[in-house]
Amino acid sequence: MQLTVLGCHAATPRTLANPTSQTLDIRGHLFLIDCGEGTQVQLRKSKLKFSRIKHIFISHLHGDHFFGLPGLVSTFRLLGRENELHIYGPKGIKEAITMLLKLGDSWTNYPLYFHELTSKESIVVFEDDKIKVSTIPLNHRIYTNGFLFQEKEVDRKLNIEAVTAFGIDKCYYQKIKNGKDITLDNGNVVSNTKLTFDPPKPKSYAFCSDTVFEPSIVPIIKDVDVLYHEATFLDSEAELATKTKHSTAKQAAIIAKDANVGALVLGHYSTRYKSTDLFKQEAEEVFKPVFLGEDGKAFNF
Ligand SMILES: [Zn+2]
Ligand SMILES: [Zn+2]
């Protein structure tokens, strides 16, 4: 599972600060999460293939999270895209994008599907045999969702040496990978643990931006491997955070600790701070490990 933070700053794009966007490379999918201005350039810099993006998840309709989307949709057309593109985001996103396409008489020549969200409960928005993606209802100034990405269990790994030694026929291999014990011709039962290795543990990633401190999300993101949580402010600006419905680094760490996550990645820093080191320090007083999101930085978990 590779998380690439394309941009992780609040509000306006600046020379060295891109608004929110990231990709999650997981079980063969390259999911794009939020699409602030500059996302295309950041994708190019990170050498991520545009054609691999088939699903885009948008948290909310503040500009710093989706103003890059019309440009990207348009570029896909210019690149001659033929594959379907699915966009998941708040109700209104279809109107916003299609209005721009209509005004420019530049309809896509590839199938474009919108999945508009209105639910205030966590719902599954995408699922295949490898991955499940659900919403994480957040509490911000407008309707906002985070997204939870969960790998599914995979088959157990066949111990080829063992199955060969027991003389087990290939037609039983799938059964064994499904965890079944095997009865040999002589009537002896071989337990599955002798024939297989444990598969890798399914991984999970939760994206939470933007939101005020919202402990109700804890049960939804319980035990995830990695949590990205916004930290727009430091604790010294806690009042301002509450007023603008954002979080502090300390509050992000409290959520991480209560949800027992494996690691916390911070982002969505306000421009008022000269350095992001204080965010890490503040969060680490509550929870470890903490990683600072940085534009263009890839994390392998
Ligand atoms: Zn924002
Ligand atoms: Zn916002």
Side-chain angles (χ1 to χ4, degrees):
M1 178 167 85
Q2 184 182 60
L3 172 70
T4 304
V5 176
L6 301 169
C8 63
H9 292 80
T12 61
R14 292 174 304 282
T15 321
L16 296 172
N18 291 275
T20 305
S21 184
Q22 45 184 253
T23 58
L24 184 69
D25 198 335
I26 183 167
R27 293 269 173 90
H29 286 288
L30 187 70
F31 293 125
L32 181 66
I33 309 164
D34 276 351
C35 191
E37 279 178 77
T39 295
Q40 293 189 55
V41 176
Q42 290 297 96
L43 282 168
R44 294 276 186 218
K45 283 185 186 164
S46 292
K47 300 199 178 348
L48 291 161
K49 271 195 163 178
F50 283 42
S51 60
R52 285 194 60 208
I53 298 170
K54 298 192 172 77
H55 302 272
I56 301 177
F57 300 87
I58 301 292
S59 63
H60 65 303
L61 298 183
H62 279 156
D64 56 330
H65 296 257
F66 98 109
F67 278 178
L69 188 59
L72 184 62
V73 166
S74 167
T75 293
F76 279 140
R77 184 177 76 99
L78 298 173
L79 293 175
R81 182 186 181 106
E82 288 178 357
N83 290 330
E84 292 178 359
L85 180 68
H86 294 265
I87 296 172
Y88 309 78
K91 187 165 174 53
I93 196 166
K94 180 177 180 180
E95 189 187 347
I97 301 298
T98 50
M99 155 103 71
L100 291 169
L101 297 179
K102 185 178 159 194
L103 291 172
D105 193 19
S106 53
W107 298 109
T108 62
N109 46 1
Y110 57 89
L112 177 59
Y113 297 100
F114 291 92
H115 305 263
E116 294 198 313
L117 306 171
T118 52
S119 175
K120 289 183 175 155
E121 309 285 321
S122 175
I123 56 163
V124 175
V125 289
F126 171 78
E127 188 165 18
D128 67 6
D129 56 338
K130 296 176 187 143
I131 295 282
K132 185 166 93 171
V133 186
S134 326
T135 57
I136 306 167
L138 299 175
N139 182 356
H140 191 42
R141 300 197 301 279
I142 55 170
Y143 177 72
T144 304
N145 286 295
F147 296 99
L148 172 65
F149 301 81
Q150 292 170 294
E151 289 185 351
K152 291 189 175 174
E153 296 268 355
V154 291
D155 288 347
R156 297 188 60 78
K157 282 203 156 138
L158 207 60
N159 180 341
I160 286 290
E161 261 182 40
V163 290
T164 314
F166 281 108
I168 295 168
D169 194 88
K170 274 188 184 146
C171 66
Y172 293 107
Y173 284 7
Q174 190 53 50
K175 255 187 168 177
I176 297 170
K177 286 198 261 184
N178 292 343
K180 298 274 188 302
D181 296 339
I182 290 293
T183 307
L184 302 175
D185 292 343
N186 63 12
N188 288 346
V189 176
V190 186
S191 88
N192 189 274
T193 50
K194 285 186 179 159
L195 303 173
T196 57
F197 301 111
D198 288 340
K201 194 179 154 283
K203 289 186 175 166
S204 53
Y205 171 65
F207 167 85
C208 295
S209 183
D210 301 354
T211 185
V212 74
F213 179 59
E214 185 51 71
S216 71
I217 66 172
V218 167
I220 302 171
I221 61 171
K222 195 88 188 158
D223 300 327
V224 295
D225 293 287
V226 184
L227 166 66
Y228 172 91
H229 196 290
E230 74 130 286
T232 309
F233 298 107
L234 292 172
D235 197 41
S236 45
E237 279 70 48
E239 243 176 71
L240 185 59
T242 307
K243 204 171 133 198
T244 56
K245 292 220 168 182
H246 282 296
S247 300
T248 67
K250 183 179 172 185
Q251 290 167 339
I254 293 170
I255 296 287
K257 183 173 175 244
D258 291 352
N260 189 40
V261 308
L264 171 65
V265 180
L266 297 176
H268 204 266
Y269 319 111
S270 160
T271 53
R272 68 181 55 225
Y273 307 103
K274 293 277 171 287
S275 152
T276 49
D277 293 340
L278 290 173
F279 286 82
K280 190 166 191 273
Q281 277 174 34
E282 185 175 293
E284 280 181 339
E285 284 171 22
V286 179
F287 175 88
K288 276 181 186 172
V290 176
F291 299 95
L292 287 175
E294 276 175 48
D295 297 1
K297 186 166 179 182
F299 298 88
N300 287 296
F301 293 107

